């Protein structure tokens, strides 16, 4: 018997200052929302009344989001290794089951711009290992490295968005020192940026933050930020994934986000803030699915990631196929958040009772051409 109580879904218009700011510029469709307000829907739609299994065909933007963490793409799988063959299968599986790849930036901005009925997924790679991005002796990208596989997939499906975050460790030993091959580091980092990938902080030397004094942690994070700028001038990390998913004592978490709040004067004698780093989201390694960024329970300093090895991925795949998990399903419009009516109390509101969707928009790094 089906439940007679229907789930009712309503849409709320996103309010955010950013739209007001951005209306002036350009033809970007993201900027076209005028006079943004929270809209109470004129009509409520009844989408479905099933109850036994999760229905992944209807919009539900308080569902869970898989954020998958890979380390090495190498044969002989273990907890840290995924084979090239199985990584390709993972991508095929996700595409087949209606997943759409988003950026970490989209998650932070709350701007999930994917078609209706699609499920967001975020791919992340930790430790900047050479197997993630390797150039062969003939100058071509190793087709069995992560980038080789991702780029090949993109050329197979040119209209399907595929991207990933690379959480890098510039001070780790070879071949985790920005993908090995020191003479090609700049080329690789430029390639990642110009092909739409994100490069983010995974510490400099990969210490366990659970066992490291806070002063050493902040030095390590700042050094990573400094090192990446040696290759990408002016580059700012936006996100951090802590090494081993380790966190220091909770009282120091704010120092993982931003440090230090020092000020200098610019030439017009205005005080400007010079921060050693700024991480808008901090990702863990808890092997759990991420909450929706629209949920009041979403924590920007503890974003959940699942492990990209066989045991964990097989469990994920089974639960997707068997519809055992409630996933985030897009309504197709990034300016609205579609939820079940009885769950509006679970949305993230600010003190003025405005829906918090896209608190900030990030600047995108622009590559600067330099002679070698
Ligand atoms: Zn790591």
């Amino acid at each position: 018997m089906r439940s007679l109580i229907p789930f009712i879904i309503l849409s709320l218009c996103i309010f955010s200052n950013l739209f007001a700011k951005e209306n002036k510029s350009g033809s970007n469709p993201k900027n076209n929302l005028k006079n943004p307000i929270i809209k109470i829907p004129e009509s409520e739609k009844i989408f479905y009344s099933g109850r036994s299994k999760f229905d992944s065909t209807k919009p539900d933007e308080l569902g869970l989001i898989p954020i998958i963490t890979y380390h090495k793409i190498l044969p002989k799988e273990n907890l840290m290794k995924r084979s090239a063959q199985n990584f390709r299968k993972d991508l095929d599986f996700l595409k087949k089951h209606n997943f759409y790849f988003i950026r970490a930036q989209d998650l932070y901005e709350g701007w999930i711009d994917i078609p209706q009925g699609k499920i967001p997924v975020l791919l992340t790679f930790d430790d900047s290992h050479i197997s993630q991005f390797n150039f062969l002796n003939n100058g071509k990208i190793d087709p069995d490295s992560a980038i080789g596989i991702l780029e090949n997939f993109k050329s197979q499906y040119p209209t399907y968005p595929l991207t990933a975050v690379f959480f890098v460790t510039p001070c780790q030993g070879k071949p985790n020192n920005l993908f090995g091959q020191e003479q090609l580091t700049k080329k690789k980092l430029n390639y990642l940026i110009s092909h739409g990938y994100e490069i983010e902080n995974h510490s400099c030397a990969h210490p366990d933050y659970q066992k490291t004094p806070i002063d050493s942690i902040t030095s390590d994070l700042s050094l990573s930020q400094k090192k990446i700028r040696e290759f990408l001038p002016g580059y700012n990390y936006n996100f951090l994934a802590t090494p081993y998913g380790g966190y220091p004592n909770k009282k120091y978490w704010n120092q993982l986000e931003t440090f230090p709040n020092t000020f200098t004067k610019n030439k017009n004698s205005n005080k400007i803030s010079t921060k050693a780093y700024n991480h808008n989201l901090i990702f863990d390694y808890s092997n759990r699915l991420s909450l929706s960024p629209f949920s009041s329970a979403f924590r920007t300093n503890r974003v959940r990631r699942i492990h990209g090895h066989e045991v964990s991925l097989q469990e994920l795949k089974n639960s997707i196929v068997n519809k055992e998990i409630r996933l985030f399903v897009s309504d197709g419009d990034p300016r609205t958040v579609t939820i079940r009516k009885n769950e509006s109390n679970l949305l993230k509101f600010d003190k003025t009772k405005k829906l918090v969707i896209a608190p900030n928009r990030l600047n995108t790094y622009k590559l600067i051409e330099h002679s070698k």
Side-chain angles (χ1 to χ4, degrees):
M1 279 290 284
R2 286 187 168 191
S3 163
L4 296 176
I5 304 167
F7 286 96
I8 300 173
I9 297 183
L10 58 95
S11 294
L12 296 170
C13 234
I14 298 169
F15 176 84
S16 173
N17 291 333
L18 68 98
F19 296 114
K21 256 186 269 166
E22 292 189 353
N23 273 342
K24 286 179 252 165
S25 63
S27 58
N28 185 339
K30 289 183 177 181
N31 300 338
N32 289 343
L33 187 66
K34 288 177 183 165
N35 304 321
I37 49 167
I38 299 176
K39 233 180 182 175
I40 303 302
E42 290 153 15
S43 62
E44 296 165 342
K45 283 184 179 173
I46 298 170
F47 273 104
Y48 68 98
S49 59
R51 65 170 179 172
S52 61
K53 292 221 164 183
F54 168 63
D55 185 341
S56 62
T57 64
K58 307 299 179 197
D60 181 357
E61 298 189 323
L62 278 176
L64 300 168
I65 298 175
I67 303 176
I68 303 172
T69 310
Y70 293 100
H71 287 88
K72 297 170 186 171
I73 302 298
L74 289 173
K76 291 189 183 166
E77 296 204 342
N78 60 25
L79 295 182
M80 303 293 281
K81 289 183 199 165
R82 190 68 169 157
S83 72
Q85 189 188 16
N86 279 339
F87 180 50
R88 288 189 189 96
K89 284 184 186 167
D90 296 341
L91 297 178
D92 288 336
F93 176 92
L94 291 167
K95 182 172 184 295
K96 186 181 166 199
H97 288 86
N98 278 322
F99 286 86
Y100 246 54
F101 293 88
I102 60 166
R103 301 170 303 168
Q105 184 173 342
D106 303 327
L107 189 76
Y108 169 65
E109 292 177 344
W111 192 267
I112 312 293
D113 194 3
I114 64 177
Q116 181 172 347
K118 298 295 179 186
I119 304 157
V121 60
L122 179 58
L123 287 190
T124 69
F125 290 86
D126 283 10
D127 297 357
S128 45
H129 188 262
I130 189 169
S131 66
Q132 296 172 10
F133 194 177
N134 181 36
F135 278 104
L136 300 172
N137 288 336
N138 63 10
K140 294 193 169 155
I141 294 172
D142 181 351
D144 285 339
S145 68
I147 283 294
I149 294 164
L150 290 164
E151 286 300 309
N152 181 57
F153 196 91
K154 279 160 76 171
S155 62
Q156 264 182 285
Y157 306 105
T159 60
Y160 181 70
L162 183 55
T163 187
V165 190
F166 289 84
F167 286 107
V168 299
T169 48
C171 306
Q172 274 216 96
K174 209 174 171 179
N176 289 98
N177 52 343
L178 300 176
F179 314 106
Q181 300 178 302
E182 289 99 329
Q183 70 285 10
L184 297 172
T185 301
K186 190 177 176 75
K187 183 179 175 181
K188 289 184 181 183
L189 296 176
N190 281 329
Y191 183 98
L192 291 175
I193 295 292
S194 62
H195 286 73
Y197 300 101
E198 293 168 290
I199 300 168
E200 300 297 344
N201 203 351
H202 187 44
S203 82
C204 209
H206 210 277
D208 183 349
Y209 285 176
Q210 223 177 336
K211 300 172 186 162
T212 308
I214 187 62
D215 286 352
S216 304
I217 292 175
T218 53
S219 302
D220 174 78
L221 290 169
S222 303
L223 185 58
S224 180
Q225 175 64 87
K226 192 163 165 257
K227 289 266 179 192
I228 205 77
R229 286 187 186 140
E230 290 173 11
F231 302 98
L232 299 171
Y235 190 84
N236 291 317
Y237 291 130
N238 288 313
F239 311 114
L240 164 70
T242 61
Y244 312 103
Y247 283 71
N249 189 300
K250 206 162 187 173
K251 67 182 174 189
Y252 298 125
W253 285 14
N254 62 337
Q255 295 190 46
L256 296 181
E257 292 165 3
T258 300
F259 185 90
N261 277 308
T262 52
F263 290 88
T264 54
K265 285 187 173 183
N266 69 9
K267 60 183 177 186
N268 302 320
S269 293
N270 294 322
K271 273 186 172 181
I272 56 163
S273 173
T274 51
K275 290 171 184 172
Y277 54 81
N278 186 50
H279 303 126
N280 296 299
L281 293 177
I282 302 173
F283 293 80
D284 73 12
Y285 193 54
S286 56
N287 209 19
R288 291 185 298 169
L289 292 159
S290 173
L291 298 170
S292 162
F294 309 132
S295 162
S296 60
F298 180 80
R299 294 280 168 268
T300 56
N301 56 16
R302 194 106 209 192
V303 183
R304 302 165 180 178
R305 298 191 298 167
I306 58 171
H307 301 179
H309 55 68
E310 177 61 17
V311 177
S312 173
L313 289 174
Q314 203 50 55
E315 193 182 332
L316 175 69
K317 288 176 183 179
N318 289 343
S319 59
I320 290 166
V321 170
N322 297 326
K323 300 182 188 298
E324 288 164 353
I325 43 176
R326 180 182 162 187
L327 293 164
F328 183 114
V329 181
S330 173
D331 62 10
D333 184 349
R335 295 164 304 177
T336 64
V337 176
T338 300
I339 59 163
R340 299 177 186 178
K341 188 183 181 186
N342 58 353
E343 292 186 347
S344 57
N345 60 321
L346 301 180
L347 282 169
K348 187 161 52 176
F349 290 97
D350 69 13
K351 284 176 190 155
T352 62
K353 297 186 179 169
K354 278 176 185 151
L355 188 58
V356 179
I357 301 299
N360 290 298
R361 297 297 290 276
L362 297 172
N363 293 320
T364 308
Y365 182 75
K366 296 209 172 40
L367 283 175
I368 307 161
E369 294 299 327
H370 290 273
S371 53
K372 282 178 186 166

